[in-house]
Amino acid sequence: MFPFLISAKNLVLDILFPPICLNCQKHLETRTTPLCENCHSLIKINSTFFCPICRARLAENKKICHFDSPYLLAAAGNYDDPVLQNLIHSFKYRKMDFLTPLLGEIIIKYLNLIGGLNSNFIIVPIPLHFFREKSRGFNQAKLLGEIVARHFNLPIIDALKRTKNNDSQAKCKDSESRAKNVADCFKIKNSENIKGKNIILIDDVFTSGATMAEAAKILKQNGCRKIISLVLAKA
């Protein structure tokens, strides 16, 4: 499309559907971002790893408690952050995949604060079941994983397959029901792809940790080494 036609199209869109901030609904000067500057500045980004069991901050990015946990938790933000929660909900449940660059930017800022990622890691997204992904149109974990992989020049591998079309974890009432809901729901596609590797296991939200624990268990059983669970937000 010619540049003047694109400009005309954008002008018509701005008149008929003026761009508004996804969070506060105030008018935006441009469509290049879904948030106004104020709402963007309100997002609080963490600066440490966390224990996935007790959620303690790990200031030196190493275990100081719950040494039996098979992974460390890397959470860019907190789910009680209203702006970040709104973005994640829109991304995941309103199918707004155009939010991927903004959410990826939040993860990249966090990773840079904790020292970045070295070349010893591979990115493994938490998979959706085939029917769930087909209904949504995308796997949000994989979209985020692709952003991280490109930025740090790391390989991304679909190492896991979801074998059960179980209920959404959001529908489960407590930690016990969440653990039962995801029990034995993953299998490894090819163990040679992850054997001896350090894994960045990526998803959107960490709530009870049941999904991550189940995925980490099967990865460890198939020979992977270090696992870091990377999410946009922890509850």
Side-chain angles (χ1 to χ4, degrees):
M1 188 179 291
F2 295 109
F4 75 89
L5 291 178
I6 295 174
S7 298
K9 177 185 175 183
N10 290 338
L11 178 61
V12 172
L13 285 173
D14 287 347
I15 294 172
L16 296 177
F17 308 101
I20 58 174
C21 174
L22 187 63
N23 186 64
C24 70
Q25 308 300 305
K26 290 183 179 179
H27 177 71
L28 294 173
E29 296 298 325
T30 174
R31 293 184 182 275
T32 58
T33 175
L35 290 180
C36 67
E37 288 186 11
N38 182 61
C39 286
H40 196 288
S41 69
L42 292 175
I43 298 173
K44 297 178 181 178
I45 299 178
N46 293 320
S47 58
T48 66
F49 282 96
F50 299 86
C51 172
I53 308 301
C54 66
R55 315 300 168 90
R57 289 169 56 88
L58 306 179
E60 296 183 9
N61 296 336
K62 60 183 180 181
K63 292 180 182 179
I64 57 173
C65 57
H66 296 95
F67 295 98
D68 57 338
S69 173
Y71 63 95
L72 294 176
L73 173 60
N78 301 310
Y79 202 61
D80 60 3
D81 181 325
V83 181
L84 186 55
Q85 183 181 128
N86 193 2
L87 287 174
I88 294 172
H89 189 273
S90 297
F91 179 51
K92 190 171 181 178
Y93 298 112
R94 296 171 65 190
K95 303 180 180 181
M96 294 185 177
D97 58 334
F98 64 85
L99 293 175
T100 303
L102 174 59
L103 296 173
E105 173 190 319
I106 292 169
I107 291 179
I108 298 302
K109 284 183 178 179
Y110 164 69
L111 290 172
N112 285 334
L113 284 173
I114 60 173
L117 296 176
N118 61 46
S119 59
N120 293 327
F121 284 94
I122 62 172
I123 309 293
V124 175
I126 290 287
L128 292 177
H129 189 272
F130 171 78
F131 294 126
R132 185 76 55 82
E133 184 169 349
K134 186 175 181 181
S135 173
R136 183 169 294 164
F138 58 90
N139 175 6
Q140 69 277 5
K142 186 171 184 179
L143 293 183
L144 295 172
E146 289 170 345
I147 294 278
V148 174
R150 281 197 301 269
H151 184 84
F152 291 101
N153 195 27
L154 298 174
I156 180 169
I157 298 176
D158 289 320
L160 295 168
K161 180 178 180 179
R162 200 151 197 153
T163 58
K164 295 181 180 179
N165 189 19
N166 50 300
D167 290 335
S168 168
Q169 290 290 77
K171 295 180 180 180
C172 298
K173 296 180 180 180
D174 52 39
S175 297
E176 183 178 353
S177 61
R178 284 173 177 266
K180 289 181 179 178
N181 190 45
V182 296
D184 301 318
C185 74
F186 297 116
K187 75 174 185 179
I188 296 291
K189 290 183 177 180
N190 184 345
S191 61
E192 291 303 313
N193 287 335
I194 55 96
K195 189 174 182 179
K197 304 290 187 180
N198 294 323
I199 307 291
I200 299 294
L201 186 59
I202 190 166
D203 204 359
D204 53 350
V205 176
F206 184 96
T207 306
S208 69
T211 301
M212 285 295 186
E214 189 66 25
K217 179 182 74 174
I218 192 168
L219 287 169
K220 282 289 188 180
Q221 288 173 349
N222 283 269
C224 82
R225 298 176 63 192
K226 184 176 181 179
I227 299 176
I228 294 177
S229 165
L230 175 63
V231 294
L232 270 166
K234 63 177 179 62

